[in-house]
Amino acid sequence: MRLTVIGTGYVGTVHAACMADLGHEVLGVDIDAERIASLSAGRPPIHETGLEEILTRTMALGRLRFSSSLAEGAAFATTHFVCVGTPQRPDSKAADLRFVNAVVDGLAPHLRPGSLIVGKSTVPVGTAARLGRRLAATGTDCEVAWNPEFLREGSAVQDTMCPERLVVGVSSERADTVLRTVYGPMLQAGIPYFSTDPATAELVKVAANSFLATKISFINAMSEVCEAAGADASLLAGAVGADSRIGPQFLEPGLGFGGSCFPKDIRAFAARAEELGAGAAVAFLYEVDRINTRQRRRTVDLARRILGGTVADRHIGVLGAAFKPGSDDVRDSPALAVAQALRDGGAAVRVHDPEALDNARSAHPDLAYALDVPKACEDADLVLHLTAWPEYRHLDPADLATVTRQPLLLDARNVLDEPTWQAAGWTVHALGRAKAPATGLVRGEPS
Ligand code: UDX
């Protein structure tokens, strides 16, 4: 089948490459001519395991190419996936739909009869219906369907090739048949396929993200109570998550979520529900957002308390800049928000990250950066673990203690092996444990 994929960001580049790998003939379209030139040379705009190989392979087979012309895209195929961004609007919590609207308006005059536009972007419920009416007003018989994307950064290729489910929102049998053909090999492999109306499909995406964000903020709220009560949030999470109805995933107490999806999606969902008169039903999402933001503040406060009441003129080594391990993305990164707040409080902060240093440097130019962990922690009064990269779990705490000014660690992700660090002489602090006094509480000692 011939497909166009419009928007070559995270979702679009991965979708285009994976659809070509499934056997389709794909044209990727983007208005950014520089990005198209680099993709055409086989260079993906993002770091994602396996992506470059698939791009190179499918381009060599002639199944994937790129263009900056929407008209060429409209002529190339009758199925068009829309993968452009829907950022938060600068003036409100709602989603900014200008890019989605521009793609549909740009395609409309060039569409071949019977074409299907399939949205993958995360949008407010009702968007497919609205775009369908917009198209119909131009007199075409073309349709709009919605097919939300659930891929996670860091495992985007794997999530796209072997998704846990496919969800399509369609208004006709014809659209359903087209999408069943697109995903034919996956359906044959037994991947569950949920065919719904467009509004339900749009809501599945935001409901799933809201549930996961709520789970994270739930355990972080428990972690605040643990801290006040002298209990241990990690032990609590393990025991609560052992209930198979709850499960351990997304139940890790720590610095909370960031990235390009969860924060903006839950805000946009709450804003849309308010427009629909159902705001009260999801008002809890504002609390989920507040709990999440509070974790960043609590981490900064704990660092301050550990250092005796002020971070001014203290050296702080920061481990992690990406919003999560396995990604070079620093958008709304909790780690960088904490590092910046410490810097703003007068600390000398030096940040390490295995993948995200370039992006971090552009987003936070006034922070200092280090290419390796010892350099980041040199002369540090405190080391902060803020992004749970696996390599940080394998650090040698005894080695690291030789470069710091004092062996003080704040593990804001609750994953470093505390006994190992303590055995090497470190005092270890974490969120969700008994409150630290002004200086140096070792876990387990009463304050
Ligand atoms: C998320 C959704 O998982 C995905 O389905 C959707 O399409 C896009 O948004 P992503 O943003 O790539 O994907 O990251 P994910 O792995 O889901 O993690 C989101 C955030 O939650 C990260 O900042 C992560 O560090 C944080 N997180 C995750 C926690 O703070 N605690 C946890 O227990 C799990």
Side-chain angles (χ1 to χ4, degrees):
M1 237 179 130
R2 280 185 158 209
L3 310 172
T4 64
V5 176
I6 301 152
T8 56
Y10 230 101
V11 170
T13 305
V14 174
H15 189 64
C18 291
M19 289 305 103
D21 209 34
L22 273 191
H24 299 302
E25 206 183 321
V26 181
L27 180 69
V29 179
D30 202 297
I31 48 170
D32 182 340
E34 217 173 286
R35 178 169 288 200
I36 289 300
S38 132
L39 278 163
S40 301
R43 283 192 308 274
I46 47 163
H47 165 84
E48 225 13 92
T49 312
L51 181 58
E52 200 162 342
E53 291 90 308
I54 297 191
L55 273 183
T56 318
R57 183 169 68 238
T58 52
M59 284 170 73
L61 289 168
R63 288 215 295 261
L64 175 62
R65 62 186 181 83
F66 295 92
S67 161
S68 53
S69 159
L70 209 48
E72 187 185 348
F76 178 78
T78 54
T79 306
H80 309 285
F81 285 95
V82 179
C83 305
V84 292
T86 51
Q88 187 174 331
R89 267 208 294 250
D91 54 341
S92 77
K93 291 185 186 298
D96 185 344
L97 295 175
R98 90 178 85 153
F99 304 115
V100 173
N101 294 340
V103 168
V104 173
D105 291 345
L107 277 175
H110 308 287
L111 285 172
R112 287 159 54 184
S115 287
L116 180 67
I117 294 180
V118 188
K120 287 195 89 62
S121 311
T122 302
V123 289
V125 58
T127 300
R130 183 180 56 78
L131 293 172
R133 289 193 296 274
R134 202 158 159 146
L135 259 192
T138 68
T140 97
D141 64 344
C142 299
E143 273 183 59
V144 177
W146 223 261
N147 169 215
E149 180 54 64
F150 302 98
L151 63 78
R152 291 160 300 176
E153 294 191 19
S155 54
V157 169
Q158 164 75 12
D159 288 349
T160 305
M161 293 308 277
C162 307
E164 287 187 312
R165 82 298 212 185
L166 289 159
V167 177
V168 303
V170 290
S171 314
S172 71
E173 286 265 309
R174 187 172 65 87
D176 191 52
T177 306
V178 168
L179 286 164
R180 282 181 190 276
T181 312
V182 170
Y183 293 118
M186 295 183 185
L187 268 60
Q188 273 164 21
I191 287 167
Y193 178 89
F194 293 87
S195 182
T196 71
D197 56 277
T200 304
E202 289 164 336
L203 273 177
V204 168
K205 167 69 188 217
V206 286
N209 274 0
S210 297
F211 187 85
L212 293 170
T214 303
K215 211 174 166 191
I216 297 169
S217 278
F218 174 84
I219 201 62
N220 284 335
M222 294 305 106
S223 135
E224 284 188 53
V225 178
C226 281
E227 219 167 88
D232 186 311
S234 289
L235 297 176
L236 175 120
V240 170
D243 183 327
S244 64
R245 293 168 301 174
I246 297 173
Q249 286 183 329
F250 281 69
L251 205 64
E252 290 154 21
L255 184 49
F257 58 80
S260 65
C261 288
F262 282 177
K264 85 165 169 69
D265 287 356
I266 61 170
R267 289 171 200 149
F269 183 25
R272 179 62 180 145
E274 271 164 30
E275 280 172 15
L276 293 168
V282 293
F284 70 93
L285 289 176
Y286 289 120
E287 197 53 45
V288 166
D289 198 9
R290 275 194 289 271
I291 294 167
N292 191 56
T293 312
R294 201 154 61 225
Q295 289 304 89
R296 301 175 186 194
R297 235 174 16 244
R298 290 178 67 236
T299 303
V300 174
D301 287 347
L302 181 52
R304 192 178 297 122
R305 283 207 309 278
I306 293 168
L307 290 173
T310 177
V311 296
D313 301 322
R314 309 304 288 272
H315 285 240
I316 297 182
V318 165
L319 306 185
F323 85 99
K324 68 170 194 179
S327 166
D328 66 348
D329 197 339
V330 299
R331 285 175 290 177
D332 202 355
S333 163
L336 284 178
V338 167
Q340 187 67 54
L342 292 168
R343 161 87 178 75
D344 295 345
V349 178
R350 213 176 294 132
V351 181
H352 172 265
D353 190 282
E355 297 287 351
L357 280 191
D358 288 347
N359 289 339
R361 239 185 230 111
S362 332
H364 293 259
D366 57 340
L367 293 176
Y369 296 94
L371 291 176
D372 58 50
V373 171
K375 204 90 206 128
C377 300
E378 203 170 70
D379 293 331
D381 297 294
L382 175 67
V383 173
L384 254 68
H385 177 237
L386 301 183
T387 307
W389 284 97
E391 41 267 69
Y392 295 150
R393 253 167 271 164
H394 304 302
L395 285 171
D396 182 340
D399 266 4
L400 202 58
T402 63
V403 302
T404 59
R405 193 170 290 163
Q406 51 184 357
L408 265 182
L409 172 73
L410 195 180
D411 178 10
R413 290 292 178 185
N414 279 299
V415 294
L416 299 179
D417 186 49
E418 190 173 332
T420 309
W421 284 74
Q422 283 175 342
W426 288 77
T427 301
V428 178
H429 299 269
L431 294 175
R433 294 176 193 164
K435 264 199 169 65
T439 50
L441 171 73
V442 178
R443 184 187 175 198
E445 280 180 4
S447 64

